[in-house]
């Protein structure tokens, strides 16, 4: 029984998601005609929201977590700006950390779709709760779908469990794909007159949630690993992964016929030792699986027709069950489901406007508008293009102005201790830049112009400037008008997108080049790394997860325990047991890291679980151990999606190592309990050294 909602300080419901059990509890089936669902939620949560607001006003503090009588319902609350985020769990399946993580991820998703508008509480309310009921349902359905996809991936996928990007390890194929993305996709589109002012900055290939190749144009800023994980989440929401049999089965005869690919020798080759590719410096890097024996490309035969588990993708080329394979009840249920889910994905969801961090020549912009084009090649394999429009510079300017007014607002809140407002050293430059920006608008936004004139009259007046409260109100008005301009440019207006012809060409060429690799990639994504190649050198090792926190990438053997696919542990009780063990180790390691511990080892039944976090320089030499900061229980959860803890940790550690590049790594291992602890530590060191080289293959 779970529920997540966003409310304003005035107890107005801005968004909610609830599972079937919570909705049944809220509105029992036998209750008859009652109030609307939103009204019931408002009635239920209004006392909680009002009490939180009152505590914040009176004490500047409020409660962040509580459980009801007998601990049946756990509530976690967090305030972002003027919005209160609440998560409730009543079935004991989620801990306080899980609920808090969900709230922070939801906040990140709101930022990714609303951009800098989140800086103004009034405007973000308009975005989350539009006046038009149909538009509101589209916005809420989009966020609900993303939350459900995130919850599923967090429970099923190791990369989302540890919050790091998992690469599909095949260095030579990766190099060839990067070269193809550069020449045939990005450079071609950017040179085409059809692009209409848009420029492709990034292009990457995904196989399920695993990254095969990533290419960025020379003028593009780098993509943060946290943003890349958000993009993978968006792709999985648009085109969910199917079962292995459904993906590897024959393509349907009807509908669009996939183009015939060239012969294998004409498709993307695996370079020999003497070949020279675009990324030749990495051609010697091999996955540990590749060192043991020559690669054999196995294409499994399609399994006999069986009923689906319900995870089919409705993407292009997805298989459909024949009418003879499903009874009337299944057909009716599918039709009902389609009718129910019909409006959940808006027509304009692909391409989709998305806001990501960017470091440009003009400066840093935390939420720069991009357009994401997701082009499905086959079920499970997608090509993603990220483009920027011609108004990018305006977004950077708006952020710099907003940042300046935020600094001014903090100074004014400090009171007389900060000195007279006119004496602030940055104010003259802020005034000059704001005057220039308002002049460029040429009277297009009269409200911004009037607000700016009012602000200047109050703070630069020759007479005594206005009081702090008046100045704070004037600053808030200017910020709101700047956010309003941002909203008009990047949210209210139709976003730029590449022409259909350019998208079709990129999709067609990528299919032709990867056609002979399709089945191999899908199988490889299920068995990216196998434990077999590690057992001889590391006896007693059951599972491991290795994470390069500087690059935001991870490596781990497969742990799939779905009905139709499995790992080397099979898909019975043992595989599920090991999976639960690994997930509980991840949660335990985070709790100890939050309290300042970077090493953990415990005997858990018949298994020994260990966790290590350490720092190295660029040459791979381990740096001295230091005490990491101890965090409060209500701080942002450890990870990338909920606040990028590791980026802050690296910045904290680098203060004492400014002359060298500092890198951070994590290793989680599960051994058999009979292995002595000294041997576990020794194996962890050896395993980290063995995994270090493959992790250095550049993909960005």
């Amino acid at each position: 029984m779970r529920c997540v909602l966003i409310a304003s300080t005035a107890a107005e419901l801005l968004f909610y998601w609830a599972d079937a059990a919570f909705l049944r509890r809220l509105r029992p089936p036998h209750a008859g005609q009652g109030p609307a669902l939103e009204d019931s939620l408002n009635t239920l949560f209004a006392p909680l929201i009002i009490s939180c607001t009152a505590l914040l006003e009176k004490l500047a503090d409020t409660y962040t977590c509580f459980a009801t009588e007998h601990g049946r319902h756990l509530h976690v609350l967090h305030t972002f700006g003027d919005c209160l985020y609440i998560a409730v769990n009543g079935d004991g399946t989620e801990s306080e950390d899980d609920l808090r993580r969900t709230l922070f991820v939801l906040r990140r998703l709101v930022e990714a779709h609303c951009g800098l508008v989140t800086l103004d509480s009034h405007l973000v309310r308009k975005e989350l709760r539009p006046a038009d009921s149909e538009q509101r349902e589209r916005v809420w359905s989009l966020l609900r779908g993303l939350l459900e996809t995130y919850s599923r991936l967090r429970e099923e996928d190791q990369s989302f469990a540890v919050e790091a990007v998992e690469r599909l390890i095949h260095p030579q194929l990766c190099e060839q794909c990067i070269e193809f993305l550069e020449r045939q996709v990005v450079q071609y589109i950017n040179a085409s007159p059809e692009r209409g002012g848009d420029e492709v900055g990034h292009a990457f290939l995904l196989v399920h949630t695993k990254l095969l190749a990533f290419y960025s144009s020379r003028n593009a800023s780098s993509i943060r690993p946290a943003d890349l994980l958000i993009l993978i989440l968006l792709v999985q929401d648009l085109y969910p992964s199917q079962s292995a049999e459904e993906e590897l089965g024959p393509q349907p005869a009807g509908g669009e016929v996939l183009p015939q690919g060239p012969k294998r020798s004409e498709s993307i080759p695996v370079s020999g030792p003497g070949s020279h590719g675009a990324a030749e410096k990495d051609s010697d890097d091999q996955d540990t699986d590749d060192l043991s024996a020559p690669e054999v490309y196995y294409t499994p035969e399609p399994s006999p027709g069986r009923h689906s588990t319900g995870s089919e993708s409705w993407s292009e080329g997805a298989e459909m069950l024949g009418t003879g394979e499903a009874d009337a009840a299944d057909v009716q249920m599918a039709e009902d489901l389609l009718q129910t889910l019909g409006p959940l994905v808006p027509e304009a969801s692909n391409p989709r406007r998305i806001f990501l961090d960017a470091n440009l020549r003009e400066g840093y912009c935390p939420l720069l508008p991009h357009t994401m084009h997701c082009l499905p090649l086959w079920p499970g394999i997608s090509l993603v293009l990220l483009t920027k429009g011609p108004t990018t510079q305006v977004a950077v300017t708006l952020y710099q102005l907003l940042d300046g007014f935020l600094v001014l607002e903090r100074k004014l809140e400090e009171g007389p201790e900060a000195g007279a407002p006119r004496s602030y050293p940055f104010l003259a430059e802020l005034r000059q830049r704001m005057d220039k920006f308002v002049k460029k608008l040429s009277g297009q936004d009269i409200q911004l112009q009037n607000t700016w004139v009012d602000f200047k009259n109050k703070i630069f007046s020759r007479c005594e400037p206005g009081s702090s409260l008046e100045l704070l109100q004037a600053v808030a008005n200017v910020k709101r008008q700047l956010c309003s301009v941002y909203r008009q440019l990047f949210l209210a207006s139709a976003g730029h997108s590449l022409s259909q012809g350019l998208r079709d060409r990129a999709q067609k060429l990528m299919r032709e080049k990867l056609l002979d690799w399709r089945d191999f990639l899908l199988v490889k994504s299920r068995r990216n790394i196998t434990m077999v190649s590690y057992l001889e050198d590391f006896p007693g090792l059951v599972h491991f997860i290795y994470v390069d926190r500087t690059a935001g990438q991870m490596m781990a053997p497969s742990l799939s325990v779905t009905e139709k696919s499995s790992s080397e542990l099979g898909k019975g009780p043992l595989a599920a047991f090991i999976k639960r063990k690994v997930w509980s180790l991840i949660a335990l390691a985070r709790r100890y890291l939050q309290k300042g511990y970077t090493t953990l080892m415990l005997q858990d039944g018949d298994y020994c679980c260990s966790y290590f976090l350490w720092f190295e320089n660029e040459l791979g030499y381990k740096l001295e151990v230091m005490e990491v900061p101890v965090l409060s229980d209500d701080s942002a959860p450890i990870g990338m999606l909920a606040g990028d803890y590791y980026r802050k940790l690296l910045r904290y550690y680098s203060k004492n190592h400014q002359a060298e590049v500092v890198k951070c790594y994590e290793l989680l291992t599960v051994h058999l309990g009979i292995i002595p602890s000294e041997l576990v530590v020794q194996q962890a060191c050896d395993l980290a050294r063995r995994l270090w080289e493959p992790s250095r293959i550049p993909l960005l």
Side-chain angles (χ1 to χ4, degrees), residues 255-294:
E256 180 180 352
V257 179
L258 297 183
Q260 287 293 325
K263 296 179 182 178
R264 182 175 296 274
S265 59
E266 297 172 2
S267 189
I268 296 179
V270 175
S271 307
S275 64
H276 299 274
E280 182 182 358
K281 60 183 179 180
D282 299 309
S283 60
D284 295 333
D285 291 334
Q286 296 288 332
D287 175 42
T288 50
D289 295 345
D290 301 335
L291 297 174
S292 56

Side-chain angles (χ1 to χ4, degrees), residues 121-188:
S121 58
H122 176 71
L123 295 178
V124 79
R125 285 202 297 270
K126 287 186 176 181
E127 287 299 317
L128 290 177
R129 189 183 174 87
D132 181 67
S133 58
E134 291 186 4
Q135 187 181 356
R136 185 192 316 157
E137 184 58 32
R138 283 197 296 269
V139 173
W140 288 7
S141 297
L142 173 65
L143 290 175
R144 286 169 187 159
L146 289 170
L147 268 183
E148 290 171 358
T149 301
Y150 167 71
S151 298
R152 173 177 61 83
L153 292 175
R154 188 174 68 180
E155 295 300 320
E156 296 177 0
D157 197 286
Q158 294 180 94
S159 64
F160 278 84
V162 298
E163 296 188 7
V165 177
E166 184 173 7
R167 297 162 32 235
L168 197 70
I169 297 180
H170 197 295
Q172 294 168 327
L173 177 59
C174 168
E175 292 171 10
Q176 298 292 333
C177 286
I178 290 175
E179 183 178 357
F180 184 83
L181 289 173
E182 176 187 9
R183 297 179 180 178
Q184 299 298 325
V185 178
V186 176
Q187 288 184 359
Y188 178 86

Side-chain angles (χ1 to χ4, degrees), residues 296-347:
V296 177
Y297 302 128
Y298 167 63
T299 304
E301 292 293 328
S303 297
R306 294 171 58 185
H307 288 291
S308 166
T309 57
S311 61
E312 295 98 324
S313 166
W314 295 332
S315 60
E316 186 176 4
E319 288 188 284
M320 299 298 292
L321 288 173
T323 54
E325 299 177 53
D327 54 25
D330 289 335
V331 173
Q332 184 61 45
M333 184 169 62
E335 291 176 352
D336 294 342
L337 186 62
L338 283 172
Q339 291 175 2
T340 303
L341 298 181
L344 294 190
V345 181
E347 293 179 3

Side-chain angles (χ1 to χ4, degrees), residues 157 159-160 164-171 173-174 177-178 181 202-215 223-225 228-229 231-232 235 380-384 521 524-525 528 551-554 697-700:
D157 197 286
S159 64
F160 278 84
V165 177
E166 184 173 7
R167 297 162 32 235
L168 197 70
I169 297 180
H170 197 295
L173 177 59
C174 168
C177 286
I178 290 175
L181 289 173
H202 310 278
F204 57 96
L205 288 165
L206 290 176
V207 186
H208 296 302
T209 58
K210 296 177 178 60
L211 183 66
L212 173 60
F214 195 113
Y215 173 75
I223 290 286
R224 285 174 49 204
L228 185 54
L229 209 58
L231 293 171
I232 295 173
V235 174
I381 305 178
S382 299
L383 167 65
V384 182
L521 288 173
K524 179 72 172 172
S525 71
N528 192 22
Q553 298 177 2
M554 57 87 71
I697 302 168
L699 292 184
L700 305 180

Side-chain angles (χ1 to χ4, degrees), residues 682-694:
Q682 183 60 48
Q683 283 195 8
C685 295
D686 296 340
L687 182 61
R689 277 195 295 269
R690 179 166 171 174
L691 295 170
W692 184 74
E693 279 300 329

Side-chain angles (χ1 to χ4, degrees), residues 598-624:
T598 57
T599 302
L600 169 69
M601 184 177 293
L602 73 152
Q603 195 78 18
D604 188 3
D606 295 330
Y607 297 89
C608 178
C609 302
S610 61
Y611 166 78
F612 306 92
L613 181 143
W614 71 98
F615 298 91
E616 295 179 0
N617 62 18
E618 202 169 16
L619 299 176
Y621 293 105
K622 189 174 180 181
L623 301 176
E624 68 272 14

